[in-house]
Each structure stands twice: as structure tokens, then as C-alpha cells.
Amino acid sequence: MKNKKIFLAEQDIPKQWYNLVADLPEAPAPPLGPDGKPVTPDMLASVFPMNLIEQEMSTQRWIDIPEEVLEILYRWRPAPLRRAVYLEEYLKTPARIYYKDESTSPPGSHKPNTAVPQAWYNKKFGIEKLTTETGAGQWGSALSFACDIVGLECKVYMVRISFDQKPLRKIMMRLWGGNCVASPSEETSFGREILRKMPDTPGSLGIAISEAIEDAVSDKTGKTRYALGSVLNHVMLHQTIIGLEAKKQLKLAGEKQPDIIIGCAGGGSNFAGLSFPFVCDKINGADITIIPTEPTACPTLTRGPFKYDCGDMACKTPLLAMFTLGHSFVPPPIHAGGLRYHGMAPLVSHAVKEGLLEPRAYDQVKCYESALLWAKTEGAICAPETSHAIACAIEEAEKAKEEGKEKVILFNYSGHGLMDLSGYESFLDGKLTRYSLSEEELKKSLESIKDLPEVGT
Amino acid sequence: MKNKKIFLAEQDIPKQWYNLVADLPEAPAPPLGPDGKPVTPDMLASVFPMNLIEQEMSTQRWIDIPEEVLEILYRWRPAPLRRAVYLEEYLKTPARIYYKDESTSPPGSHKPNTAVPQAWYNKKFGIEKLTTETGAGQWGSALSFACDIVGLECKVYMVRISFDQKPLRKIMMRLWGGNCVASPSEETSFGREILRKMPDTPGSLGIAISEAIEDAVSDKTGKTRYALGSVLNHVMLHQTIIGLEAKKQLKLAGEKQPDIIIGCAGGGSNFAGLSFPFVCDKINGADITIIPTEPTACPTLTRGPFKYDCGDMACKTPLLAMFTLGHSFVPPPIHAGGLRYHGMAPLVSHAVKEGLLEPRAYDQVKCYESALLWAKTEGAICAPETSHAIACAIEEAEKAKEEGKEKVILFNYSGHGLMDLSGYESFLDGKLTRYSLSEEELKKSLESIKDLPEVGT
């Protein structure tokens, strides 16, 4: 009998996070402040607690996971590694397809892997309230969950159009004590300004980030901070528990090493979480193909330039060295909301630049076709973001069949799609567009960053 | 460290189902046909395939699970047994609370444990299409899933009000190839008749059952049958895999025997699945308290009489010996749709009658309070049905604290609540009613069965 689920005992959970920065051949370019110089810890102190700022800037290879953080993660971790035997049989591939199942967390995705430590470090630093933004609500619900357990207040600015159209994750946030408001809101001066100018705006992540940061930094008691669910180094760090667990589990399954590693990449965190511990092996000579996958509608890594750009649309964040489509880029309304980000985590971007990763883009129709095949073979219903990893896994399994090679494929099953069933409905109705960014649109959106500095100059 | 998750290796999955009928001190009263005599296998042959009819009437203690059925169940089974350590800590109870996590199946509940073998046995019997009814969609999505994998057509008659108000499970069914229509429909003569008389009816399970059965028996090719998700003996049988797995896992956790076993009971299948293998121990002398829990709004076991009654509202089924509120009973609109059935599985009813079970009823406000405490301690969001088991587990854990006893509590976590978040919203808004059936309503609803035969006369 083939072993389909590989569990790790609780005592075998990784006790440290892995920091890729320690092993990169070249140091990544630092974030720049408004003065064009690298940001210092003090400049971030009103936004993040100092213990997380230290992690953000750390070059230490291994960072201990606090025992109390592990105790919270045990609610769903170690997460299962599973083998997609039914898909393999359907494809008649000699490849062995493994996936790390991050859909088993209470909010249903990998997001709480960083929400929990972020809430815990803030609490330890004496913070009483966290603010954040959310689009479809994945991150907002993960942070609400983490704050509820740790004992922090949580305020979530949710992009208005999602707030109105996606009631389910809003209920999840509320259930875990999160205070979720539609953005733009009347609660910040930036929100009020936008509402005065554009009373009917559907909102945007850019606006919501600006409101969440304003809420945090304007609290005169100093007890409020802001939390971000992707992009930053400390977020990638917290997610490496995924790859570290997967490594142990692959050994239990009798595999020496994966040949191909795949993760979908929006801001980059679930991809980094699975892949970074293996990127380390690749730096040390292992022969592994590591593929971040993204939508053709938002092809940051496959078509954007590597440049300094702002993390948000309003340009309130430091400049980050990353692949970007320009901070003014408004992606088409694809269902994979978590992959609609204009930029990419600086660490993921840097690894692409160094030739360690081989990004690919897929259109959403191909992704939903893959998701449907997944549901009809493996049974589970994946998130639209995750379908971008499955599309690539299927492509690679078919290639292995053509080549007659017994390859080991590992991908990250970043979340379930039970809150995103309407996307499946549109697909089954034949209503989905194969969006692909045109040269003209790309050129236009890059206009907004033409005066921003190049990396390394 | 406390062990929070107890996994069973795939090769240790039970290879046989357990049939309680073999061990009951007294034989249960048989179902009666229209002539008042016990039904014969032939009388059911147009509705069910003969291999399932044999299981329905079997008195054999152990029945082999076909290898091909196991191969499908492995997609999510063995299901984890988990220990609710965070809830225990919150309650400061000396009790050890274990729960069998049936929420990990692709459709999110215990239902596919029987949907899969039912689809498989029908396929083996040469059947090409299954029909069924569904309320909120739990059973319809489970049967669609099973038919898709086995290779059967699946037609689901969904109560119109749910069809209109609950789009999510409808999309799940469609995704797995199920053909779901609103009931009453234009597709059956019974449906057309109802639509002519009551064009604006919201529909009912009674109507949907009648349509599904008519669809099955009127197929002149003889290739269509009907499938039921609860109540019947063979459904209870298939669900015993839950309790058989739990027994092995409790041993792995170092527990000799549970003191208290709890499951919510609507038609009775998830409760029977967990408890029947332990009811066997109780019959053989073990000291176990076994508690089916139900809503005070639909208190079949706690307040209904034990009588012969029809399984459906239109009285098209054989008469079943069971606790019942009367087949004309229309329960109030509580969120736990799966517990709104007027009757109870004959085997569960019989075991209550023999004093083997101790039913209890809870109102939905108390249940949602328990569900919220669960989400804030254990993390996960449970189904409204499941909250009726959690309410009882908490009550028993508090009692153990008062008594200072280290009791072992085991309950069935029958499903997740991710498709039922609107109930949580109503609860948080303070809009839920503590429905409790009045004496007058009970008396009135029992009018419909006053002329039906008593059991054992």
C-alpha cells in the first residue's frame, strides 16, 4: 500500500525558524527610507515592535521559536504531508507528487503561521492592539484568530468591495473577536479624506494599508502596532516551519530529496515558507528546480523589472528592492485575490535575481481546470491561489511521464477553497477570462516607478 | 507534553464494519409494509440495490469493508482523534476530553463514510444513477462526491428554500458532478402536483424525499436507485468505522476505556457511528455513559413516544419502530438543519428503549455559546449540529471538576461550520431564539400518528 499521509509527531516539530539571509551568496539590497538611505530600526519603531524589527533585520541562520508560540501552533501543526496518489494514477505519471497541507489551520491557510508569532511578540513587547488590512479576508481572519488566543485587540481594515461582497470571512473575524470595518472608513483622517473625494470608491489594499498604519502610529499611548501578512523578511522567516516540517516528512516517506518544489506567490510568504529550507540545499549544491507560480494577470516575477518600489499604493512604506509591476498597478479581478499584489517579497525577489528560482505564470482558466481535476481525484477543494501551484505540479508530472523519469514533486497546498466557491461557479459557467497583461498595460504601469532608484546603484 | 493528535496509520484502518444488531439483547422490531406486515427484501428492490438491502437486514456481527471502498476512504481516513487540551485548560477540569474529527473529509462531515459505500455497492449492482434529497446540502454534497469518484450519475432534490438561500453547498455538488435541482421541481409528477397547488412553497424534506424516490422507481431501465444519508441500519453500519477507529486511537493515547461518549443525533448516523462499538462493550458489562444529544426544538428522543411512524412526511416509506414527534412535525428554523428530523434511527431508538443510551436536549443558544468557546480555545469552527455534542462535553467536564474525577470524555466532531457561518452571525447579533417545544405543540404533532400501530403489539 502506498503511504498517502505522512504525519510528524508533535515532539518532532521544528524548534527554530530558518533565515535564508544567512546563506544567500550575496546580501540582499536594504530597504530605503524617504531620504534614500537604508532604514534603521528606529525608523520602524512606531509601526512594529522592536523584537520583530530585530527579526526583520537579522542575519542569524536559526532563530528559536518560543515555546509559547509552539504551544499555540500545536492546535494544527505539524501539518500533514500528503501524497497525491489519486492524481498520480489519473495522470499515469511515474512522478511522486507530495503536498504540504496548510489548509488544516483554523482559518484555513498558512497565514496563521506568522499571525501567531507576530501577535505573541507584540504582546510580549507590551502592545495591546494590532491593526492590519485585508482583501478577501484570509489575513484578517488569521490575525483575528491569533490575537484572540494571545489576548490582543485586533482592528482590520477590509477593502470595501470585499467587505460588502464576501461576508463569510468577516463573520470568522468577528467570531474570533476581530473588529473589522470597511475601508475607506470614517475612523482615520486618510479614510475620511478619500470618502470626501470619492464617496463611492470600492476601496483598495493601498488605501486599507494606509488606514491601518495611521491607526497604529496615531495611538498616543504607544500601545498599538501594525501587522503585515506577507512580503517582509520576518514573515518569510515564520513561514519556514512549513518547509522544515516537509523536509522531515519527506525523509519519513523514504525520499532523499525533492526534484521540483512549487508554491504560488503573491507577496511570497507561502512559497518562501515551503521553499527556503530547500533553497539552502540548492545553494549548497543540490539539484532542485524551485518554481514560484503566479497569475498571467499579475506577472510580477516573470515580467516585472527588479527595482526599488513602494510596498503600498500610497507610497507610505520604505522602498523595497523587488520585482514589481509598479505600485500603481491595478490587477484584473481574478479570483486568486491573494496573488494580486504588484510587488514580491524582497527575499524571494533576490533569490530569483540570483538564479535560484525559476518563476512561471499561469492563467486562471488553466488553474481552475487543475483545481477541478484535483477535486475530482484527490477530493479536496483548493483555494484559487493554491490552484496556481497545482497547475504547475500537473505540468511537471506530465513532463516526468514524457521523460519517463521518477521525479519527486513537492508543492505547497496553501489553503482550502471553501470560502471561495463562487470562483468555481464562474469557471463552471464558462465565465472566466484568461487574463494576460498586455505589453502596453505593463509599460503604462511601470511609468509610476521610472524615477525610483535602481537596485545596487 | 500532552499528546493532542492521535493518528492511526493507514494500514491500521478497520477492515470490517460492526453491526450492533448482532449484540442487542432483544431483536429490534422490523419495519412494516403497507399491509402491516414486516417488509421483505423484494419490497425494497425498486428503491435500493439488493446488496445494500442484505446489509440493511443483516444480523451478522462483522461485515467486510471492500478493499475498493477503503481505497476511496483513505482520501481522508483514518480520521484523527484529538484531545481538546486547550478547552480542558480553560475549564480547569480533571477530565480528558477526546474528539473524533470527522470534519476532515472533502465535503466536511461524517456523511461520506456511508455515501462512498452506498455509491460503490450500487455501482457493483449495475446501477448507473442515484437520486437523493438534501436539506442544507451536507448529504447532497457527500453523495455527489462519492458518485463522482465511483462513476455514477447523481441527482439531488434540494429543499427550495435552502437551494435559494444556501448557494455554497450547491456549488460543491456541481463541482463534483452532482445535478442539483430545487424541490418541488417540474421533473417529477409529485413535484408538478405540489407546484400546481402551492406555487410559492419553500419546499420540505418530505417533498424532496418523495421526488427522489419517484425519480428512482420510475426509471424504466431499472438503472436508478435512491440513497438515504441516515436513519437506516446499513447507514449506521457504515458509520461504525468512526467508533472502531476511535477505539484503537484511545488505546494509542493510553486510555483503557471512555467513561462518557457523546454524539449529536438528528437521524442518528454520526452518533451511532461513534457509539455503537462502545454500546457493544456496555452490553458486555462496561461502565460507560452514552449520550445522544438533540435540540430542545426537536426533542425526538427526550420527549417523543416510541412508536411506529413513517420515515417521511408523505408516508411513502415503510413504518419504522422509533422515537418520533410525528411525521407531520415541522421543527422551528434552528440552524442545525441536520437535527431537524421528526424521527430517529430504529437502531438508536431501540438502544434507548433498552436503557443503553441516555439522551439529552440542549437549546441552540447554549449550543452556540459552547461553539464559540470551542473556537476561542481549540481554534476550529464547528458545525451547528456538532455544537450539540460540545455543549454536553463541556457540561460533563464541569461535572467531573465538581466531582474531582479524572473522567475520559469522547465525543464526535461531526463536521466543520465553514458553510454555516451565518448562524454564528445571528448568535453574535443576539438574534437566536432558545426554541423549546411546548406540550401543546407536541400533543398536536402526535395527532398525526395516533392511528399508527404500537411497537410490539
Side-chain angles (χ1 to χ4, degrees):
Chain A
M1 195 171 79
K2 291 172 189 172
N3 201 353
K4 294 159 198 88
K5 310 180 197 80
I6 301 104
F7 295 112
L8 204 60
E10 274 153 30
Q11 58 270 27
D12 294 329
I13 200 170
K15 306 294 190 303
Q16 297 181 307
W17 290 301
Y18 168 67
N19 186 2
L20 180 64
V21 174
D23 288 310
L24 284 171
E26 230 176 285
L32 304 181
D35 56 358
K37 290 181 185 161
V39 293
T40 59
D42 284 353
M43 291 163 73
L44 300 172
S46 64
V47 181
F48 300 111
M50 199 47 75
N51 46 18
L52 284 178
I53 294 170
E54 278 162 21
Q55 284 189 355
E56 182 64 23
M57 301 192 161
S58 173
T59 56
Q60 203 181 311
R61 180 171 290 112
W62 295 100
I63 294 177
D64 287 346
I65 308 178
E67 187 54 49
E68 287 177 45
V69 168
L70 285 176
E71 190 51 52
I72 300 172
L73 297 182
Y74 285 136
R75 276 174 178 75
W76 73 97
R77 303 207 74 87
L81 179 78
R82 305 182 62 160
R83 185 163 161 203
V85 290
Y86 307 98
L87 178 64
E88 288 172 18
E89 276 163 25
Y90 176 88
L91 296 173
K92 298 188 176 61
T93 176
R96 297 190 290 282
I97 307 174
Y98 293 89
Y99 61 104
K100 184 70 177 163
D101 188 359
E102 292 295 315
S103 75
T104 66
S105 73
S109 79
H110 66 290
K111 292 285 185 191
N113 295 334
T114 184
V116 167
Q118 286 195 51
W120 188 85
Y121 280 108
N122 271 283
K123 176 85 177 180
K124 197 172 163 68
F125 194 68
I127 299 305
E128 292 170 1
K129 174 182 162 185
L130 280 178
T131 68
T132 199
E133 75 290 334
T134 200
Q138 284 271 27
W139 170 242
S141 55
L143 194 67
S144 297
F145 163 75
C147 286
D148 198 28
I149 289 174
V150 161
L152 288 178
E153 212 180 310
C154 183
K155 178 69 165 276
V156 182
Y157 291 87
M158 186 172 189
V159 176
R160 165 159 298 171
I161 189 166
S162 297
F163 187 90
D164 292 339
Q165 292 178 355
K166 304 206 166 184
L168 297 181
R169 287 216 180 82
K170 209 164 57 186
I171 304 174
M172 282 178 105
M173 288 184 240
R174 198 174 156 200
L175 197 154
W176 285 314
N179 177 3
C180 175
V181 295
S183 166
S185 76
E186 291 286 350
E187 309 197 16
T188 66
S189 62
F190 185 73
R192 287 188 294 271
E193 191 189 320
I194 298 280
L195 282 174
R196 216 179 47 235
K197 288 184 194 160
M198 306 180 281
D200 297 325
T201 177
S204 73
L205 267 181
I207 297 169
I209 294 178
S210 303
E211 285 201 272
I213 294 179
E214 181 188 322
D215 185 335
V217 302
S218 64
D219 175 5
K220 295 212 171 64
T221 69
K223 298 290 192 186
T224 303
R225 292 290 184 281
Y226 166 77
L228 191 64
S230 192
V231 180
L232 299 178
N233 293 4
H234 68 276
V235 179
M236 307 296 126
L237 177 79
H238 299 157
Q239 294 290 359
T240 58
I241 195 165
I242 302 173
L244 294 167
E245 282 182 8
K247 261 195 173 183
K248 292 189 177 192
Q249 288 163 311
L250 276 180
K251 271 198 193 125
L252 289 178
E255 302 290 359
K256 274 187 194 153
Q257 175 189 290
D259 298 297
I260 296 155
I261 291 174
I262 303 161
C264 64
S269 77
N270 96 74
F271 167 76
L274 178 67
S275 68
F276 278 7
F278 295 96
V279 171
C280 169
D281 297 343
K282 182 160 178 161
I283 290 169
N284 293 321
D287 182 16
I288 314 178
T289 303
I290 305 176
I291 309 169
T293 61
E294 59 185 14
T296 51
C298 188
T300 316
L301 289 171
T302 48
R303 294 180 58 201
F306 183 62
K307 254 200 95 155
Y308 268 112
D309 194 4
C310 324
D312 65 326
M313 201 180 280
C315 260
K316 304 230 170 187
T317 71
L319 290 174
L320 303 171
M322 61 184 177
F323 284 88
T324 178
L325 298 169
H327 57 265
S328 72
F329 180 66
V330 178
I334 56 167
H335 284 275
L339 305 182
R340 293 176 73 244
Y341 185 62
H342 72 277
M344 182 56 67
L347 281 179
V348 173
S349 295
H350 184 85
V352 170
K353 197 69 193 165
E354 292 209 13
L356 294 164
L357 313 177
E358 301 170 31
R360 276 185 216 168
Y362 296 91
D363 74 73
Q364 69 174 347
V365 173
K366 185 181 174 76
C367 292
Y368 271 103
E369 284 165 0
S370 307
L372 197 68
L373 177 57
W374 184 262
K376 284 171 169 288
T377 52
E378 292 298 313
I381 298 171
C382 73
E385 291 82 4
T386 310
S387 72
H388 289 72
I390 296 177
C392 182
I394 292 173
E395 193 171 87
E396 286 297 322
E398 283 171 339
K399 202 172 131 196
K401 184 180 170 185
E402 283 164 28
E403 294 172 355
K405 284 188 187 161
E406 275 196 30
K407 287 186 188 171
V408 175
I409 299 172
L410 168 66
F411 76 88
N412 202 13
Y413 191 83
S414 53
H416 65 65
L418 299 178
M419 323 295 275
D420 310 277
L421 285 165
S422 62
Y424 283 88
E425 191 169 41
S426 303
F427 168 68
L428 291 167
D429 285 338
K431 286 184 184 164
L432 288 191
T433 307
R434 288 185 195 266
Y435 290 113
S436 190
L437 192 64
S438 73
E439 278 303 321
E440 204 176 326
E441 286 167 309
L442 177 59
K443 209 170 143 188
K444 195 178 147 205
S445 85
L446 292 177
E447 275 293 303
S448 66
I449 56 168
K450 69 177 194 307
D451 296 330
L452 292 178
E454 298 294 328
V455 180
T457 58
Chain B
M1 197 169 76
K2 292 174 192 173
N3 202 355
K4 294 160 198 83
K5 309 180 199 80
I6 300 105
F7 296 113
L8 204 61
E10 274 154 30
Q11 59 269 28
D12 295 328
I13 200 170
K15 307 293 191 301
Q16 297 181 307
W17 291 299
Y18 168 68
N19 186 1
L20 180 63
V21 175
D23 288 310
L24 284 172
E26 230 174 287
L32 304 181
D35 55 358
K37 290 182 185 160
V39 294
T40 59
D42 284 354
M43 292 164 72
L44 300 171
S46 63
V47 181
F48 301 111
M50 198 48 76
N51 46 18
L52 284 178
I53 294 171
E54 280 163 20
Q55 284 189 355
E56 182 64 23
M57 301 192 161
S58 173
T59 56
Q60 204 180 309
R61 181 172 289 113
W62 295 99
I63 294 178
D64 287 346
I65 309 177
E67 187 55 49
E68 287 177 46
V69 168
L70 285 175
E71 190 52 53
I72 300 173
L73 297 182
Y74 285 138
R75 276 171 177 79
W76 74 98
R77 302 207 76 87
L81 179 78
R82 305 181 64 162
R83 184 163 163 206
V85 290
Y86 306 99
L87 178 64
E88 288 173 17
E89 277 163 24
Y90 176 87
L91 296 173
K92 299 189 176 62
T93 177
R96 297 191 288 284
I97 307 173
Y98 294 88
Y99 60 105
K100 185 70 176 161
D101 189 358
E102 292 295 315
S103 74
T104 66
S105 73
S109 78
H110 66 289
K111 291 285 185 192
N113 294 335
T114 185
V116 167
Q118 286 195 52
W120 188 86
Y121 280 107
N122 271 284
K123 176 86 177 179
K124 197 170 165 68
F125 193 69
I127 300 306
E128 292 171 2
K129 174 181 161 185
L130 279 179
T131 68
T132 198
E133 74 291 335
T134 200
Q138 282 273 26
W139 170 243
S141 55
L143 194 67
S144 297
F145 162 77
C147 285
D148 199 30
I149 290 175
V150 161
L152 287 179
E153 213 182 309
C154 182
K155 177 69 164 278
V156 182
Y157 291 87
M158 186 170 186
V159 177
R160 166 161 296 168
I161 190 166
S162 296
F163 187 91
D164 291 338
Q165 292 178 354
K166 304 206 165 183
L168 296 180
R169 287 218 179 82
K170 207 164 61 187
I171 304 174
M172 281 178 106
M173 289 183 237
R174 195 172 159 201
L175 196 154
W176 284 315
N179 177 3
C180 174
V181 295
S183 166
S185 76
E186 291 286 350
E187 308 196 17
T188 66
S189 63
F190 185 72
R192 287 188 294 273
E193 190 189 321
I194 297 280
L195 282 175
R196 214 179 49 236
K197 289 185 197 162
M198 305 180 280
D200 297 324
T201 177
S204 73
L205 267 180
I207 298 168
I209 293 178
S210 302
E211 285 202 272
I213 293 178
E214 179 188 327
D215 185 335
V217 301
S218 64
D219 176 4
K220 296 214 173 56
T221 70
K223 298 289 193 186
T224 302
R225 291 292 183 280
Y226 165 76
L228 191 63
S230 192
V231 181
L232 299 177
N233 294 3
H234 68 277
V235 179
M236 307 297 125
L237 177 80
H238 299 156
Q239 293 291 0
T240 58
I241 195 166
I242 302 173
L244 295 167
E245 282 182 9
K247 263 195 173 183
K248 292 189 177 193
Q249 288 164 311
L250 275 180
K251 270 198 193 127
L252 289 178
E255 303 290 0
K256 273 187 197 156
Q257 175 189 291
D259 299 296
I260 296 154
I261 292 176
I262 303 160
C264 64
S269 77
N270 97 74
F271 167 77
L274 178 68
S275 67
F276 279 6
F278 296 96
V279 171
C280 169
D281 297 343
K282 182 161 177 158
I283 291 169
N284 292 321
D287 181 18
I288 314 179
T289 304
I290 305 178
I291 309 168
T293 62
E294 60 185 14
T296 51
C298 188
T300 317
L301 288 173
T302 48
R303 295 182 54 201
F306 183 61
K307 253 200 99 151
Y308 269 111
D309 194 5
C310 325
D312 65 327
M313 201 179 283
C315 259
K316 304 232 170 189
T317 72
L319 290 174
L320 303 171
M322 60 183 178
F323 284 88
T324 177
L325 298 170
H327 57 266
S328 71
F329 180 65
V330 179
I334 56 167
H335 284 275
L339 306 183
R340 294 176 73 245
Y341 185 62
H342 71 276
M344 181 57 65
L347 280 179
V348 172
S349 295
H350 183 85
V352 170
K353 196 71 192 161
E354 293 211 15
L356 294 164
L357 314 177
E358 301 169 31
R360 276 186 215 168
Y362 296 92
D363 74 73
Q364 67 173 349
V365 173
K366 186 181 173 77
C367 292
Y368 271 103
E369 284 165 357
S370 306
L372 197 68
L373 177 57
W374 183 263
K376 285 175 168 284
T377 51
E378 292 297 312
I381 298 171
C382 73
E385 290 82 3
T386 311
S387 72
H388 290 71
I390 296 177
C392 183
I394 292 174
E395 193 171 86
E396 285 298 323
E398 282 171 341
K399 202 172 130 197
K401 185 180 168 184
E402 282 163 30
E403 295 174 354
K405 284 189 187 160
E406 275 195 31
K407 289 187 187 168
V408 175
I409 299 171
L410 168 66
F411 76 89
N412 203 13
Y413 191 83
S414 54
H416 65 64
L418 298 179
M419 324 294 273
D420 310 277
L421 285 166
S422 62
Y424 282 90
E425 192 170 40
S426 302
F427 169 67
L428 291 168
D429 285 340
K431 286 183 185 162
L432 288 191
T433 307
R434 288 184 194 265
Y435 290 112
S436 190
L437 191 63
S438 71
E439 278 303 322
E440 204 174 329
E441 286 168 310
L442 177 60
K443 209 171 143 186
K444 196 177 147 204
S445 84
L446 291 177
E447 276 292 304
S448 66
I449 57 168
K450 69 176 192 309
D451 296 330
L452 292 177
E454 296 296 325
V455 180
T457 56

